[in-house]
């Protein structure tokens, strides 16, 4: 067997730091410890994610991946040069495995590269309607631009044909890969995400920073500030039960500035929005409960991070979330958008100490299944399976 050497490909996302990006960063840190050679080609700028990679001593190099657009159909010379550049890099550095972290990146790999490609699919959809290759109605109505975009999505953005295996973080992602993208189920391998293990004794709380008393109970949520992450439901709950003794914090960055400003105008009196922070462990350490009211999830990495600190979890009973929250064991699953039931369950855990301690204990115990070393070892086993 050749000595393993991994080439990771990741493009810039919005926002730059997301769950999948943090997972890849953590995998690379484990590889540093194991002294397994790799290179991360990052198709972005020297943004906050790139700086975080560099601060973690990740072996990263910037590369200009074209954005996801049908114009790539006509960028023949640019795409050819990029494919040739990556191919030459692979030959020169003697990489043995390629791991792309979005299927769009497979388009920039030459078919003549004869080393295994493993693609990641990080997402999941509630409605897994197959992507069509051709819609005659678009042609009849002269919607040529929409037709090109549909063809591009089918054959370039979500094309897993080059991949030897497709790695997904959970069952919801697997179903989407099969039903929506027509991925051969025999190619799909589930490898749950992993996160770092923190020693909470060495982490400072955030109470002083936000002028909160030490006995204030913080209810935390985290994710992109967009509608389908459930930020509005979180804010409505804060409006109902928030007080000087119960504070709500939503951690994350916005995608739409206007939407964010409207949220601040309506809810800043009830919810603290600290933005995108790299010291997320301080927020988990300081919190009493963790809520994830997202409308869909593939893996819910923030739930795993919260379990590391023994936080009971509360979320809607929807895909992705119900793979991590075990109802009555490490948290509570609630019927989607049942605000009244959500209100009751949150209040119960605020005042029923016996039940709170039970869920907290189980939440911390369940974290062992999501350790980053274990997740990385499983990924390396997948690589080893074909790198021989």
């Amino acid at each position: 067997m050749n000595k393993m050497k991994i080439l990771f490909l990741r493009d810039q996302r919005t926002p730059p730091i997301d769950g999948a990006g943090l997972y890849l960063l953590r995998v690379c840190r484990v590889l540093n410890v194991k002294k397994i050679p790799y290179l991360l080609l990052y198709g972005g700028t020297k943004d906050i994610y790139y700086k975080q990679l560099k601060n973690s001593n990740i072996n990263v190099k910037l590369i200009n991946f074209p954005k996801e657009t049908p114009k790539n159909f006509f960028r023949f010379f640019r795409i050819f040069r990029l494919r040739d550049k990556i191919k030459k890099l692979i030959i020169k550095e003697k990489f043995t495995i390629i791991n792309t972290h979005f299927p769009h990146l497979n388009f920039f790999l030459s078919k003549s590269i004869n080393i295994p490609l493993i693609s990641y699919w990080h997402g999941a959809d509630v409605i897994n309607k197959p992507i069509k290759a051709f819609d005659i109605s678009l042609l009849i109505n002269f919607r040529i631009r929409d037709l090109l975009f549909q063809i591009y999505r089918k054959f370039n953005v979500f094309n897993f044909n080059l991949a030897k295996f497709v790695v997904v973080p959970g069952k919801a992602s697997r179903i989407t890969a099969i039903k929506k993208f027509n991925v051969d189920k025999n190619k799909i391998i589930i490898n749950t995400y992993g996160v770092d293990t923190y020693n909470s004794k060495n982490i400072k709380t955030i109470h002083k920073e936000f002028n909160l008393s030490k006995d204030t109970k913080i209810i935390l949520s985290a994710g992109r500030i967009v509608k389908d992450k459930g930020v509005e439901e979180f804010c409505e709950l804060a409006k109902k039960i928030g007080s000087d003794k119960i504070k709500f914090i939503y951690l994350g960055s916005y995608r739409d500035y206007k939407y964010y400003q409207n949220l601040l105008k309506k809810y800043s009196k009830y919810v603290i929005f600290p933005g995108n922070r790299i010291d997320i462990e301080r927020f988990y350490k300081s919190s009493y409960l963790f809520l994830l009211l997202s409308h869909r999830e593939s893996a819910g990495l923030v739930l795993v991070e919260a379990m590391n600190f023994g936080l009971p979890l509360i979320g809607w009973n929807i895909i992705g979330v119900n793979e991590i929250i075990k109802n009555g064991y490490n948290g509570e699953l609630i019927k989607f958008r049942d605000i009244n039931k959500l209100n009751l369950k949150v209040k119960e855990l605020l005042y029923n100490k016996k039940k709170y301690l039970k869920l907290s204990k189980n939440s911390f115990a369940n974290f062992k299944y999501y350790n980053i070393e274990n997740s990385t070892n499983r990924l390396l086993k997948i690589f080893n399976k074909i790198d021989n």
Side-chain angles (χ1 to χ4, degrees), residues 143-193:
R143 292 168 58 188
I144 305 302
R145 186 174 180 178
D146 291 339
L147 181 61
L148 279 174
F149 184 67
Q150 184 172 289
I151 295 171
Y152 178 67
R153 277 167 54 85
K154 174 69 176 179
F155 293 108
N156 295 90
V157 179
F158 299 109
N159 190 338
F160 295 89
N161 289 340
L162 281 178
K164 182 74 174 179
F165 291 111
V166 176
V167 181
V168 297
K171 295 175 183 177
S173 293
R174 181 179 183 274
I175 292 170
T176 295
I178 294 170
K179 292 187 175 181
K180 188 169 185 176
F181 307 129
N182 198 32
V183 179
D184 182 351
K185 63 181 180 181
N186 295 314
K187 290 172 58 170
I188 301 175
I189 300 175
I190 294 177
N191 181 27
T192 53
Y193 287 146

Side-chain angles (χ1 to χ4, degrees), residues 45-310:
T45 59
K46 293 184 178 180
D47 56 22
I48 186 172
Y49 180 64
Y50 176 81
K51 291 175 182 177
Q52 195 169 3
L53 290 169
K54 296 296 287 185
N55 289 338
S56 297
N57 297 315
I58 305 304
N59 185 21
V60 58
K61 182 178 180 180
L62 291 175
I63 189 168
N64 187 18
F65 289 124
K67 299 295 182 183
E68 300 161 34
T69 167
K71 290 181 181 179
N72 285 331
F73 275 137
F74 309 105
R75 292 170 171 162
F76 306 113
F77 295 108
R78 183 180 180 186
I79 299 301
F80 177 79
R81 286 196 300 269
L82 182 59
R83 287 176 177 174
D84 189 56
K85 182 178 181 179
I86 295 174
K87 181 179 179 179
K88 287 178 178 178
L89 176 66
I90 290 169
I91 294 171
K92 180 183 176 181
E93 298 295 332
K94 298 180 180 178
F95 289 106
T96 64
I97 293 285
I98 305 174
N99 184 206
T100 56
H101 276 256
F102 195 78
H104 161 67
L105 301 173
N106 298 347
F107 181 59
F108 307 119
L109 296 172
S110 171
K111 292 181 181 179
S112 63
I113 296 174
N114 61 348
I115 65 171
L117 165 66
I118 291 92
S119 276
Y120 249 99
W121 170 243
H122 297 282
D125 286 337
V126 177
I127 301 174
N128 292 301
K129 187 177 180 180
I131 295 179
K132 292 182 179 180
F134 186 81
D135 188 341
I136 190 65
S137 66
L138 296 178
L139 183 61
I140 292 172
N141 294 302
F142 298 102
R143 292 168 58 188
I144 305 302
R145 186 174 180 178
D146 291 339
L147 181 61
L148 279 174
F149 184 67
Q150 184 172 289
I151 295 171
Y152 178 67
R153 277 167 54 85
K154 174 69 176 179
F155 293 108
N156 295 90
V157 179
F158 299 109
N159 190 338
F160 295 89
N161 289 340
L162 281 178
K164 182 74 174 179
F165 291 111
V166 176
V167 181
V168 297
K171 295 175 183 177
S173 293
R174 181 179 183 274
I175 292 170
T176 295
I178 294 170
K179 292 187 175 181
K180 188 169 185 176
F181 307 129
N182 198 32
V183 179
D184 182 351
K185 63 181 180 181
N186 295 314
K187 290 172 58 170
I188 301 175
I189 300 175
I190 294 177
N191 181 27
T192 53
Y193 287 146
V195 302
D196 298 310
T197 302
Y198 291 102
N199 183 348
S200 61
K201 293 180 181 179
N202 300 326
I203 299 172
K204 294 181 180 180
T205 63
I206 60 167
H207 290 75
K208 188 175 181 180
E209 178 182 349
F210 295 99
N211 297 316
L212 304 176
S213 64
K214 291 183 178 180
D215 60 345
T216 298
K217 292 180 177 178
I218 295 173
I219 298 177
L220 179 68
S221 190
R224 292 186 305 277
I225 300 177
V226 293
K227 190 178 182 68
D228 66 1
K229 284 293 182 180
V231 61
E232 292 178 39
E233 292 100 311
F234 183 81
C235 291
E236 281 296 320
L237 181 66
K239 187 177 179 179
K240 285 178 179 289
I241 68 173
S243 67
D244 290 339
K245 295 296 183 181
I246 303 169
K247 288 295 181 181
F248 286 70
I249 296 179
Y250 194 96
L251 188 64
S253 60
Y254 61 85
R255 178 176 288 175
D256 183 323
Y257 181 73
K258 185 177 180 180
Y259 178 76
Y260 175 61
Q261 287 300 310
N262 287 335
L263 277 179
L264 290 181
K265 185 177 180 180
K266 191 173 181 180
Y267 296 112
S268 60
K269 181 179 178 181
Y270 312 104
V271 178
I272 298 170
F273 293 94
N276 206 19
R277 299 277 292 252
I278 61 173
D279 57 343
I280 54 175
E281 67 278 3
R282 292 182 60 212
F283 288 84
Y284 290 117
K285 165 71 181 288
S286 308
S287 297
Y288 186 79
L289 282 175
F290 188 84
L291 269 62
L292 184 62
L293 304 179
S294 181
H295 301 177
R296 60 180 175 85
E297 283 292 329
S298 60
L301 189 61
V302 288
L303 293 171
V304 177
E305 292 172 340
M307 284 195 295
N308 192 1
F309 292 84

Side-chain angles (χ1 to χ4, degrees), residues 12 15 23 30 33 100 112 120 142 229 293 354 357 360 384:
Q12 191 174 46
Y23 172 67
V30 175
V33 174
T100 56
S112 63
Y120 249 99
F142 298 102
K229 284 293 182 180
L293 304 179
K354 183 178 179 181
L357 291 175
S360 175
N384 273 316

